[in-house]
Amino acid sequence: MDSPKSLASWLHFLGISLKSKQFQCQKINCITVLFSFLYFFSLCPLSGEGNSPPDSPLLDSEQILFITAKPGETTGFLDFYTLTEGEWVSVLEKIPVRLGRSGLISGEKKREGDGHTPLGIFPIQRVVGKRKRQMRNLEYNEIRKNSHWSDSPSSKNYNQLTKHKEKGAVSLWDSDIYELFVVIEHNTKPAVPGFGSMIFLHPWNEDKPTAGCVGVELKWLEELVSQLDGNKFPFLVIVETEENF
């Protein structure tokens, strides 16, 4: 099956119009449309080279984080939903985010240094931060002074968190944008040299695009992280839309 490149394409495939009364009249309809899209999108994910299929099926997830943006845009929105007593409940809605300076690109086309944020479906498995935190059933790595992340394709530690400094590795201690972040599992298991590294959901207060990550105000990231629960198999979905929800 060929993979449509936008939400609008999928909705057309499903026989749903972005301008329909069903789509516009109630917020719950938007959620229904997103999850209908997600079902079909999961049949051909765009998570990029170097990623094996996630251990937990996407459709078993009880927490889904959407990052949506229009084609060519470097700004978008974050929406976070959790399944509570059999119903999808909105935790965060329409939170502004900044994307890579080159906009969105399908995960398999992402390359090191291209400035693109990769489209795709990614399991949320790891959170990293500069202070002690209690996480609910998710891996948490506390940053130390020697914590680095390699973005050098020639390194054996490419796109990995390391506990030591090495050539081409970025210090996580020296920048506020690494105060707290969720690892976007693009090109991580295994990491293919040159296919993109250090793709995070991290704090961002600047009025400009990121280098390829998803940037959001720290207070919203704190709220998101406090709600994540690994037992709910959380996923992050980055999609391109032609209309704002």
Side-chain angles (χ1 to χ4, degrees):
M1 176 187 289
D2 291 334
S3 175
K5 296 181 179 179
S6 70
L7 177 57
S9 299
W10 278 115
L11 296 180
H12 178 74
F13 176 74
L14 293 172
I16 301 172
S17 169
L18 284 165
K19 296 181 180 180
S20 68
K21 291 182 179 179
Q22 176 200 12
F23 191 81
Q24 294 180 345
C25 67
Q26 292 183 5
K27 187 181 301 181
I28 188 63
N29 289 334
C30 294
I31 297 174
T32 300
V33 168
L34 277 171
F35 280 87
S36 296
F37 156 73
L38 188 56
Y39 173 79
F40 284 91
F41 192 34
S42 68
L43 299 179
C44 42
L46 301 176
S47 53
E49 294 286 342
N51 285 325
S52 57
D55 294 334
S56 302
L58 175 60
L59 297 182
D60 287 342
S61 176
E62 297 179 17
Q63 289 186 328
I64 298 181
L65 171 63
F66 285 100
I67 303 295
T68 57
K70 293 181 180 180
E73 294 291 326
T74 60
T75 59
F77 293 99
L78 178 156
D79 293 271
F80 180 48
Y81 303 102
T82 188
L83 193 63
T84 302
E85 296 182 354
E87 294 187 2
W88 285 101
V89 176
S90 176
V91 179
L92 295 172
E93 293 182 351
K94 299 284 286 184
I95 305 302
V97 297
R98 285 283 187 169
L99 306 171
R101 62 181 182 273
S102 302
L104 298 172
I105 195 170
S106 58
E108 69 269 19
K109 294 181 180 179
K110 168 69 182 173
R111 295 295 183 270
E112 187 68 42
D114 63 7
H116 285 290
T117 298
L119 294 158
I121 299 174
F122 310 95
I124 297 176
Q125 300 173 328
R126 294 182 287 168
V127 177
V128 182
K130 291 184 179 178
R131 63 179 176 85
K132 294 185 181 298
R133 291 176 184 272
Q134 293 295 322
M135 300 297 300
R136 287 185 287 179
N137 310 301
L138 283 173
E139 179 182 337
Y140 180 72
N141 291 280
E142 185 179 350
I143 293 173
R144 308 290 186 179
K145 287 186 177 181
N146 288 326
S147 297
H148 287 71
W149 200 290
S150 175
D151 63 354
S152 174
S154 63
S155 171
K156 65 179 181 180
N157 296 315
Y158 178 61
N159 203 21
Q160 295 181 38
L161 173 66
T162 67
K163 296 181 180 179
H164 59 272
K165 183 179 180 179
E166 65 173 58
K167 184 178 180 179
V170 176
S171 172
L172 302 181
W173 184 262
D174 296 332
S175 175
D176 290 340
I177 69 172
Y178 305 124
E179 177 69 28
L180 173 68
F181 62 88
V182 176
V183 178
I184 299 176
E185 302 288 350
H186 168 79
N187 192 34
T188 57
K189 300 177 180 179
V192 178
F195 278 74
S197 64
M198 298 188 69
I199 309 299
F200 307 140
L201 172 62
H202 64 59
W204 193 252
N205 294 316
E206 299 186 45
D207 188 22
K208 65 180 183 179
T210 70
C213 295
V214 179
V216 66
E217 195 173 344
L218 179 59
K219 68 177 181 179
W220 300 122
L221 186 55
E222 292 272 10
E223 176 65 19
L224 169 67
V225 167
S226 73
Q227 298 288 334
L228 287 173
D229 184 346
N231 283 346
K232 292 181 178 290
F233 307 119
F235 275 81
L236 185 151
V237 181
I238 303 177
V239 297
E240 201 171 72
T241 71
E242 294 185 1
E243 297 287 340
N244 288 325
F245 289 100

